């Protein structure tokens, strides 16, 4: 690949406030530890990742337009800054820990010797430069992770980062894009759960209806009595008849008390 800090920044940290000096220092650190080889061919600079083919499996490789390191001249590696490769402070505040020395045979061709192991990353957020948490996007990503709990399925996650949640016309933002994707996934999962609940309720109602039909001696296997939907209540017909009798009796009594001819006849014929 091309050894150009601007191109690397555009590919990896397009929206982060990561300086070109930081990227150049990182490249020097990787080169000093034998992880990459930096070289130039025809006045142009390139770099090759040591052991790339050991970790990458390309199904249909195509010829590279980048000249290999074997056709170039390796670049000398300047002495790293004192804090870059000499030592690193232990996160617990103990004495500085010495880092691996620069390979004596560097520069070398890719794959000629195993790379020197880099020091283990510190579990704290203060050690190193911390590119992923650096700049506006990194800080917004950190604050967004603490603002909404992704495990809380009852609360819809925000679809913007905290820096742009009140901005009527937010600029392009990687954190906002990831927040929108998370909110869309939450919406889709919520809709899927609601559909599953509706389907389960429909299955439960159908099972109850089938059990009622099987236990009923009035209706057929479809739940009908002739052309009428069965109510599965053997006493429903008698109860309806008794209710109708009470209604007729109440209407007749009301008619007798309000009809003047009937009232007069009762007085004349006690």
């Amino acid at each position: 690949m091309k050894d150009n800090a601007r191109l690397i920044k555009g590919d990896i940290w397009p929206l982060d406030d990561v300086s070109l000096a930081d990227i150049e220092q990182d490249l020097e650190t990787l080169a000093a530890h034998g992880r990459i080889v930096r070289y130039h061919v025809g006045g142009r600079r390139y770099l090759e990742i040591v052991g790339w083919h050991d970790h990458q499996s390309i199904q249909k490789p195509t010829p590279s337009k980048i000249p290999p390191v074997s056709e170039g001249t390796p670049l000398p590696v300047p002495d790293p800054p004192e804090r870059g490769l000499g030592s690193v402070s232990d996160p617990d505040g103990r004495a500085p820990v010495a880092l691996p020395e620069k390979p004596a045979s560097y520069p070398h061709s890719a794959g000629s010797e195993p790379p020197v192991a880099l020091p283990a990353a510190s579990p704290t957020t203060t050690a190193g430069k911390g590119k992923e948490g650096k700049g506006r996007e990194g800080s917004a990503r950190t604050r967004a992770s603490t603002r909404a709990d992704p495990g809380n399925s009852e609360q819809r996650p925000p679809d913007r980062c905290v820096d742009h949640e009140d901005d009527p016309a937010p600029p392009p933002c990687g954190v906002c894009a990831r927040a929108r994707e998370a909110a869309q996934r939450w919406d889709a999962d919520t809709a899927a759960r609601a559909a599953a609940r509706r389907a389960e309720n429909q299955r439960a109602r159908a099972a109850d209806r089938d059990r009622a039909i099987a236990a009923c001696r009035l209706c057929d296997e479809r739940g009908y009595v002739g052309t009428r939907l069965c109510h599965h209540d053997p006493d429903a017909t008698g109860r309806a008849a008794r209710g109708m009798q009470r209604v007729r009796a109440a209407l007749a009594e009301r008619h007798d008390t309000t009809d003047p001819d009937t009232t007069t006849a009762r007085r004349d014929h006690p």
Side-chain angles (χ1 to χ4, degrees):
M1 60 181 295
K2 294 182 179 180
D3 187 355
N4 188 308
R6 292 183 181 274
L7 296 179
I8 295 174
K9 172 178 171 59
D11 288 339
I12 303 178
W13 299 291
L15 300 176
D16 280 354
D17 187 17
V18 180
S19 68
L20 299 179
D22 286 339
I23 297 176
E24 183 63 31
Q25 182 179 353
D26 289 344
L27 293 175
E28 292 178 358
T29 301
L30 291 172
H33 284 82
R35 296 299 179 90
I36 63 173
V37 178
R38 309 179 75 180
Y39 60 100
H40 64 86
V41 177
R44 295 187 175 184
R45 295 174 50 170
Y46 305 95
L47 65 86
E48 181 173 301
I49 300 175
V50 176
W52 169 267
H53 294 287
D54 296 336
H55 304 286
Q56 300 292 328
S57 178
I58 303 176
Q59 299 297 328
K60 297 180 180 180
T62 56
S64 175
K65 298 180 181 180
I66 303 296
V69 65
S70 58
E71 298 180 5
T73 303
L75 297 175
V77 179
D79 292 333
E82 182 178 353
R83 294 178 60 186
L85 289 175
S87 62
V88 60
S89 296
D90 188 89
D92 295 333
R94 293 173 291 186
V97 180
L99 298 182
E101 296 293 334
K102 182 171 60 177
S105 60
Y106 187 88
H108 55 80
S109 60
S112 62
E113 63 180 59
V116 180
L118 287 172
S122 170
T124 63
T125 57
T126 57
K129 288 190 285 297
K131 292 296 187 301
E132 292 186 358
K134 193 170 184 178
R136 293 184 60 191
E137 184 178 354
S139 60
R141 183 186 302 115
T142 303
R143 293 194 299 273
S145 63
T146 60
R147 180 177 58 163
D149 181 10
N152 184 6
S153 59
E154 299 300 328
Q155 180 181 2
R156 186 180 189 273
D159 54 5
R160 288 188 185 181
C161 70
V162 293
D163 291 338
H164 301 136
E165 58 183 349
D166 298 325
D167 192 343
C173 175
V175 180
C176 287
R178 286 187 288 273
R180 285 192 298 273
E181 293 173 358
Q184 291 170 358
R185 287 194 299 269
W186 187 93
D187 292 340
D189 293 342
T190 302
R193 288 193 296 269
R197 286 194 297 269
R198 290 193 297 270
E200 181 63 26
N201 292 336
Q202 290 175 355
R203 286 192 293 268
R205 289 195 296 270
D208 292 341
R209 184 177 63 251
D210 292 341
R211 285 192 294 268
I213 292 174
C216 182
R217 293 177 296 179
L218 303 175
C219 61
D220 58 16
E221 67 278 1
R222 296 177 300 129
Y224 280 85
V225 178
T227 59
R228 180 172 52 86
L229 185 64
C230 183
H231 39 63
H232 310 303
D233 185 358
D235 192 42
T237 302
R239 190 168 55 251
R242 291 191 297 272
M244 186 58 66
Q245 289 176 357
R246 294 192 190 97
V247 170
R248 291 194 183 101
L251 291 175
E253 182 179 358
R254 182 179 178 183
H255 177 72
D256 291 343
T257 57
T258 57
D259 189 350
D261 295 336
T262 305
T263 305
T264 304
R266 286 183 177 180
R267 285 201 303 266
D268 294 340
H269 301 85

